Amino acid sequence: YACVGGASMARPLLKIQRYFRRKPVRFFSFILLYLTAGSLVFLHSGFVGDSSAGANRGRDPLLASQLGKRVAEGAQMNGRVFKETRRPTLRRYGPPWMKRAAGKDSHDWEGRGGDYTSSWNRALKGRNAKDLDDGRAKYIGCYIDNTAKRALRGVSFFDYKKMTVFRCQDNCAERGYLYSGLEFGAECYCGHKIQAPNASDSECNMECKGDKGNLCGGANRLSIYRLELSQESLRRYGSAIFKGCFHRPDNVTLALPISAVIQNMSVEKCVDMCTEKELPLAILAGDMCLCGYPTRHFTLHEMEEEDMCLHRCHGEEFESCGNDEYFVVYQTQVQDNRCMDRRFLPTRSKQLIALASFPGAGNTWARHLIELATGFYTGSYYFDGSLYNKGFKGERDHWRSGRTICIKTHESGKKEIEAFDASIVMIRNPYKALMAEFNRKYGGHIGFASQAHWRGKEWPEFVKNYAPWWASHTLDWLQYGRNVHVVHFEELKRELFSKLKGMVLFLGLEVAEDRLLCVEGQKDGNFKRSGLRKLDYDPYTPEMRASIDELVMTVDSALKKRNMAGVPKEYRPTLR
């Protein structure tokens, strides 16, 4: 019976084998489906574990810790394939006293990128955008629009699936426009002035494709908002950035090789001409338009009072076009390629130099500046796929490879610090750094945390845990670092040329002046948040400020003991 039973069971297996032997494609398809199904089950279990960890926050600490460890084990198995296959012993950065519970929030450290308007819209769900006048934008009304004569004549973009009022506002604000308008539920237009008559509000009746609770214009009708821009955004003209008023260089022909007289001169005409010539600077001098690069003959370092350039453009009465002696300078969208080439070090460095900072202190921005100024990639103690995709090719190298000019790290502690031979320590105003890291944690590298996060329990808990780490991070590097070069974020912004030059020299490289001038024009990169979405209230309570001010004084004293300059006065707003 056993033999008969075995033979009867073997027959179906033989049939399956013959079936797949005749059709090998079916066999591989079956294997692919099997693996896909297994992967989906595996991922689903990881998400379920993550949500259960979030649900248990705020409960018994011991229980939360145990749950966090279990979630971390599952998350590491899932994420290690992408993030840490080459660094199995690497820890995610965080305050030293929080590292035991790192599993609980492990996925948050990687910076959730993507469209940050979704979290913003969730926080405002149920409220109509036309009713919101919260200091960011004000609804003006419904206006007539047509393809022959646009009401708003700046840039435009369309999204027939995800368009929202706030997404349109953010895009226009980032480019420095005063107005944003939405049409057909999916089209966004920007402009400096409205050039069309208004219509009845009832004619702007189409729902936004990405937010059914709000209206985004109508058929040939624009829902227009006036944007309340930051001071920095106001220095733009569409895609061009206003650089200032400058005195005529000694040798104009040498400094600015391209020039032309333009009838009815306007900013737009000069910017368009220089953009077409593929040059990064557009200079207005009365009816003359000049184009060129920032060089040692025209550095843009000695700015004049803007009153010296107040000379009305013949083609646009509200614009200034400068004159024969004082030039109005704009930076076009054309990229200055003199500092864009980057590569790994030709020979492996025997010295490991850290670029150390508290999260939110401008480390990624500093890496961008260093790479442009030196022409060499920077490395990282971690691996962030989103930064790798933005061009930080050293992100994938092991931090000890010796192929990068310096290594980003947020670590602190004696053992971690002594692994480096020297370090550039970035310090930023704690009030700004904490808010920047909070935005990054809940909105990605250039996104924003939603109002729900700021108003909820996340912000107070974040300040409680992270403010002490801001101080201890700097204190540890000052104590255990072998050769420390301190750079304050705010001073780097104000004095970019001189401070970046000092960083390049500290890295042991020669300074190329034209390259540094190029960096000044490309300083923002892709790491700047738009000028629109700012908090309209102070998120810090008096208790928070008292605690942070005390930490600031501690760091100030430690710097002075090392014969370094103390922290800038702006770090201590309540102690002035």
Side-chain angles (χ1 to χ4, degrees):
Y1 289 110
C3 291
V4 173
S8 62
M9 289 178 65
R11 287 192 191 102
L13 294 174
L14 287 170
K15 288 181 179 179
I16 292 171
Q17 185 181 13
R18 288 170 185 163
Y19 176 78
F20 283 125
R21 188 178 296 168
R22 288 195 301 270
K23 303 284 185 180
V25 174
R26 292 174 181 171
F27 175 72
F28 288 114
S29 299
F30 174 77
I31 293 298
L32 183 62
L33 285 170
Y34 177 79
L35 292 173
T36 303
S39 299
L40 287 172
V41 171
F42 187 64
L43 286 170
H44 176 70
S45 64
F47 290 133
V48 170
D50 180 53
S51 61
S52 65
N56 282 283
R57 287 178 189 167
R59 296 185 183 177
D60 181 87
L62 180 60
L63 177 60
S65 177
Q66 290 172 346
L67 284 170
K69 288 177 183 176
R70 290 178 185 175
V71 173
E73 289 170 3
Q76 285 169 3
M77 289 176 69
N78 186 23
R80 201 171 291 155
V81 176
F82 303 100
K83 297 187 177 74
E84 298 184 2
T85 48
R86 303 171 70 180
R87 301 168 205 183
T89 60
L90 197 60
R91 298 171 302 161
R92 299 180 192 276
Y93 62 85
W97 53 89
M98 292 181 70
K99 289 183 180 178
R100 286 191 298 273
K104 184 169 65 174
D105 289 319
S106 61
H107 66 290
D108 286 339
W109 292 107
E110 293 302 325
R112 288 174 262 177
D115 186 1
Y116 52 80
T117 55
S118 58
S119 59
W120 176 260
N121 288 337
R122 284 197 297 274
L124 297 172
K125 197 170 183 180
R127 300 174 69 188
N128 193 298
K130 292 202 306 188
D131 300 328
L132 287 171
D133 180 10
D134 55 2
R136 297 179 180 83
K138 183 177 181 180
Y139 178 70
I140 301 297
C142 185
Y143 286 78
I144 296 171
D145 192 41
N146 64 67
T147 55
K149 282 192 173 183
R150 290 291 181 192
L152 297 175
R153 300 177 186 177
V155 299
S156 61
F157 77 100
F158 310 144
D159 191 332
Y160 292 96
K161 290 184 179 180
K162 296 181 180 179
M163 180 61 73
T164 68
V165 172
F166 303 107
R167 187 176 181 201
C168 179
Q169 289 174 358
D170 273 356
N171 275 273
C172 293
E174 186 157 347
R175 289 160 177 79
Y177 288 103
L178 297 178
Y179 297 96
S180 67
L182 297 107
E183 186 172 343
F184 285 112
E187 300 177 4
C188 176
Y189 296 88
C190 310
H192 287 295
K193 56 185 178 181
I194 304 170
Q195 304 185 60
N198 62 337
S200 169
D201 277 352
S202 62
E203 296 178 44
C204 287
N205 52 17
M206 289 188 176
E207 290 186 328
C208 304
K209 297 295 183 182
D211 183 6
K212 300 299 183 183
N214 281 310
L215 298 177
C216 286
N220 295 320
R221 296 294 183 268
L222 275 174
S223 296
I224 295 183
Y225 294 82
R226 180 177 175 84
L227 308 175
E228 299 297 329
L229 303 175
S230 69
Q231 195 63 31
E232 206 162 276
S233 292
L234 284 169
R235 310 312 289 168
R236 303 177 74 99
Y237 186 92
S239 60
I241 301 170
F242 176 73
K243 303 296 287 186
C245 176
F246 298 89
H247 192 271
R248 174 192 180 99
D250 294 333
N251 190 330
V252 176
T253 306
L254 182 63
L256 304 165
I258 305 295
S259 63
V261 174
I262 297 179
Q263 298 298 320
N264 296 320
M265 172 70 88
S266 68
V267 173
E268 184 177 10
K269 287 181 179 179
C270 187
V271 168
D272 285 349
M273 178 185 123
C274 296
T275 301
E276 194 172 304
K277 300 289 185 184
E278 297 188 352
L279 290 166
L281 292 185
I283 297 97
L284 294 93
D287 290 330
M288 181 77 73
C289 176
L290 305 103
C291 312
Y293 294 95
T295 64
R296 56 192 178 89
H297 303 292
F298 194 51
T299 62
L300 304 185
H301 287 166
E302 298 178 13
M303 194 182 300
E304 302 286 348
E305 292 293 332
E306 289 183 29
D307 291 350
M308 306 300 291
C309 286
L310 288 181
H311 181 82
R312 186 177 66 82
C313 295
H314 291 146
E316 183 56 69
E317 60 179 329
F318 298 111
E319 297 174 2
S320 294
C321 277
N323 51 57
D324 290 341
E325 285 298 316
Y326 294 93
F327 295 175
V328 176
V329 180
Y330 283 87
Q331 181 179 322
T332 71
Q333 272 193 314
V334 176
Q335 191 173 68
D336 187 344
N337 290 320
R338 294 176 300 167
C339 58
M340 299 309 294
D341 60 300
R342 285 169 288 174
R343 63 192 188 280
F344 288 103
L345 292 173
T347 57
R348 294 184 183 272
S349 174
K350 296 179 181 178
Q351 193 178 39
L352 293 175
I353 303 177
L355 179 62
S357 75
F358 172 80
N363 199 306
T364 301
W365 179 58
R367 290 178 68 187
H368 165 73
L369 297 177
I370 289 170
E371 290 196 0
L372 295 187
T374 65
F376 296 116
Y377 288 122
T378 59
S380 178
Y381 196 76
Y382 320 97
F383 171 65
D384 188 325
S386 66
L387 291 181
Y388 177 81
N389 292 333
K390 284 181 180 290
F392 288 97
K393 300 305 179 186
E395 194 76 13
R396 290 187 67 175
D397 258 39
H398 191 279
W399 66 280
R400 285 185 178 275
S401 70
R403 300 205 307 158
T404 54
I405 193 66
C406 62
I407 300 106
K408 163 191 172 177
T409 179
H410 297 304
E411 297 298 315
S412 53
K414 188 174 186 292
K415 181 181 177 182
E416 289 78 5
I417 293 171
E418 290 181 346
F420 294 95
D421 302 295
S423 60
I424 296 173
V425 177
M426 289 279 296
I427 306 175
R428 187 181 185 183
N429 182 335
Y431 292 98
K432 302 289 187 181
L434 289 168
M435 292 177 71
E437 175 59 10
F438 189 73
N439 273 322
R440 188 209 64 81
K441 186 174 182 182
Y442 290 101
H445 280 285
I446 56 172
F448 291 86
S450 70
Q451 288 287 315
H453 288 125
W454 288 105
R455 301 280 189 183
K457 64 180 182 180
E458 291 92 344
W459 171 244
E461 189 68 23
F462 178 87
V463 173
K464 177 183 175 182
N465 288 319
Y466 278 65
W469 182 27
W470 173 86
S472 67
H473 183 277
T474 300
L475 297 174
D476 280 359
W477 279 93
L478 291 175
Q479 182 178 356
Y480 303 119
R482 297 177 190 173
N483 182 13
V484 178
H485 179 72
V486 172
V487 177
H488 292 283
F489 174 86
E490 292 76 15
E491 292 177 353
L492 182 60
K493 282 186 69 176
R494 282 194 299 265
E495 308 163 43
L496 181 68
F497 189 90
S498 61
K499 295 297 179 183
L500 186 55
K501 181 178 179 179
M503 293 165 74
V504 173
L505 290 171
F506 181 80
L507 293 169
L509 300 173
E510 292 184 6
V511 175
E513 188 171 340
D514 276 359
R515 194 168 184 113
L516 286 182
L517 290 169
C518 170
V519 176
E520 287 186 307
Q522 314 291 329
K523 63 181 179 181
D524 289 338
N526 297 317
F527 313 103
K528 190 176 180 64
R529 293 182 171 90
S530 81
L532 177 64
R533 189 168 301 157
K534 304 293 184 183
L535 286 180
D536 53 2
Y537 68 95
D538 182 0
Y540 292 99
T541 65
E543 293 78 14
M544 289 178 183
R545 286 192 171 276
S547 174
I548 293 171
D549 284 346
E550 190 175 334
L551 294 169
V552 168
M553 296 303 293
T554 303
V555 171
D556 184 68
S557 298
L559 288 168
K560 289 175 178 176
K561 284 181 181 177
R562 292 283 297 263
N563 295 319
M564 298 177 178
V567 301
K569 290 181 179 179
E570 62 212 74
Y571 286 24
R572 300 168 283 174
T574 59
L575 296 176
R576 290 178 187 174

